[in-house]
Amino acid sequence: MRLIYRGKTKNVYEDGPYLIFYFKDSLLGFGDEEDTGGNEVIGERKGKGSAVLKQAEFFFKLLEEHGIKTHFVERLDERRARFLKAEKIPLEVIYRFKAYGSFLRRYCGWVEPLQELNIVEFTLKDDSLGDPLITEEAIERLGIASAEEIRQMKETTKKVAKILREFFSSKALDIIDFKLEFGRRERRLLVIDEISGDTMRVMRNGKLLSQEELLEVIG
Amino acid sequence: MRLIYRGKTKNVYEDGPYLIFYFKDSLLGFGDEEDTGGNEVIGERKGKGSAVLKQAEFFFKLLEEHGIKTHFVERLDERRARFLKAEKIPLEVIYRFKAYGSFLRRYCGWVEPLQELNIVEFTLKDDSLGDPLITEEAIERLGIASAEEIRQMKETTKKVAKILREFFSSKALDIIDFKLEFGRRERRLLVIDEISGDTMRVMRNGKLLSQEELLEVIG
């Protein structure tokens, strides 16, 4: 199998019509602090890759059960899973139930931590630019996605928000934010990349859940 | 008269029910380079304040002739003009005909200089945060403006874009971008602040016009 992408939290291999993701044990954060909103690898923790994969499998299946199309096919082992190939759209679609992380830093002084938001944001996926916020009009004009694709991504993200909020509230937990990525396959959009503790923030009584705690919840 | 605001390019005084703006000779830019998109004062040029005021008077009158409500009342002398008081909305509404300045820096590698855009962007007016881009949903949720005000600001900005494009194209010039600010007065929105060479970029044959060149155009 050919390695086609070496990422911060996973490597991606090509396997005929599929992709195989290998989930690494790397931790994301800023400086010393673990934060799934972080863009730097700040260390490793044994078992972290396998925990993320279990979460990804769980959430992709949860979405599929609710009629959301994703690229997930099957888990292969502790660290690897098979996905459909799709043409990646270079955007992160962020749903913010409450204000946290980069939103607080961006609008410091204009927003309270954990203030209710319920908004969708698009950022351009480009590490060298710091994943800048981008408006829907700019996405269209720069040829990154069509107006119809933008509409579909927003609609799907809101549906996923409802599914995740209901799931976590049934466990007496609070979801703060999550991000999705989308890809094109056979003229339709799929949710791609991963959905896990690395792509969402969940709180219990005002305290962020660790990967291990999140794993217990879905176990 | 009481000084109520000491700004980079103007001071503002209160005069009963009016505001009096005093236009300074300061130049905006980055480092050594003059750029109206800049947030730093990089020097002074004698006559600059008076040139900006002549431009502001010209453009406010042009907008009013086309039915756009502004806070402009009258010019008092070379450096001062009278305006209506309005409650400032802390946003800059930017119309980008073509890609330039902060848009090119923000999406470097994804956009060509002077690529056609025709988009409206909102930024939060907060120097200490670097005037960050903000989505319409976030403006509403942070209580900065209502959905109806956002709709009106966009609509007015598009109307102003049409007026300015027609004006400059009649002079064989190309307008690249401009920004507006809005204020509330008696339950309606007014275009406030100023409209001048300090708040727009205009080109002749691919070269940015200086304040003096712009003044010749409208003179």
Side-chain angles (χ1 to χ4, degrees), chain A residues 2-47:
Chain A
R2 194 166 64 93
L3 177 70
I4 56 169
Y5 172 74
R6 188 185 295 275
K8 282 173 291 198
T9 58
K10 53 186 171 285
N11 289 340
V12 179
Y13 299 85
E14 195 168 33
D15 181 27
Y18 299 108
L19 295 177
I20 308 290
F21 284 18
Y22 174 88
F23 290 80
K24 301 185 186 184
D25 284 342
S26 40
L27 303 175
L28 295 180
F30 298 100
D32 281 346
E33 202 181 345
E34 191 175 348
D35 183 341
T36 59
N39 252 340
E40 296 166 43
V41 173
I42 61 156
E44 279 206 357
R45 188 172 48 237
K46 200 164 148 41

Side-chain angles (χ1 to χ4, degrees), chain B residues 5-12 19-23 28 36 52-53 55-57 59-61 63 69-73 81-93 125 131 178-184 189-200:
Chain B
Y5 172 75
R6 189 185 295 276
K8 281 172 292 201
T9 58
K10 53 186 170 287
N11 289 341
V12 179
L19 295 178
I20 308 291
F21 283 18
Y22 175 88
F23 290 80
L28 295 181
T36 59
V52 166
L53 172 51
Q55 293 165 22
E57 179 183 25
F59 287 113
F60 275 128
K61 285 181 172 170
L63 264 51
K69 297 291 166 208
T70 81
H71 72 154
F72 181 77
V73 180
R82 189 193 303 280
F83 294 94
L84 295 171
K85 266 187 199 164
E87 182 200 352
K88 206 162 177 155
I89 298 175
L91 293 170
E92 296 197 341
V93 193
K125 216 174 141 62
D131 295 341
F178 68 90
K179 66 119 182 167
L180 295 180
E181 295 185 29
F182 289 86
R184 301 177 184 101
L189 293 186
L190 300 178
V191 174
I192 63 163
D193 196 57
E194 65 175 72
I195 311 173
S196 72
D198 266 359
T199 65
M200 60 176 77

Side-chain angles (χ1 to χ4, degrees), chain A residues 107 110 117 126 133 137 141, chain B residues 107 110 117 126 133 141:
Chain A
Y107 305 121
W110 297 82
L117 294 175
D126 185 330
L133 189 65
E137 276 185 322
R141 287 320 183 281
Chain B
Y107 305 121
W110 298 82
L117 293 175
D126 186 329
L133 189 66
R141 284 324 182 280

Side-chain angles (χ1 to χ4, degrees), chain A residues 90 103 105-108 110-111 115-121 124-126 129 132-135 137-138 141-142 144 154 158, chain B residues 90 103 105-108 110-111 115-121 124-126 129 132-135 137-138 141-142 144 154 158:
Chain A
F103 193 90
R105 290 188 294 275
R106 204 191 300 138
Y107 305 121
C108 180
W110 297 82
V111 56
Q115 184 176 325
E116 198 85 26
L117 294 175
N118 293 308
I119 60 173
V120 176
E121 284 184 342
L124 180 63
K125 217 175 140 59
D126 185 330
L129 300 173
L133 189 65
I134 187 166
T135 67
E137 276 185 322
R141 287 320 183 281
L142 299 190
I144 292 166
K154 274 186 96 164
K158 286 178 187 171
Chain B
F103 193 90
R105 290 188 295 275
R106 203 191 302 138
Y107 305 121
C108 178
W110 298 82
V111 57
Q115 184 178 325
E116 199 84 27
L117 293 175
N118 293 308
I119 61 172
V120 176
E121 284 184 342
L124 180 63
K125 216 174 141 62
D126 186 329
L129 300 174
L133 189 66
I134 187 165
T135 66
E137 276 185 320
R141 284 324 182 280
L142 299 190
I144 292 166
K154 275 185 95 164
K158 285 177 189 171

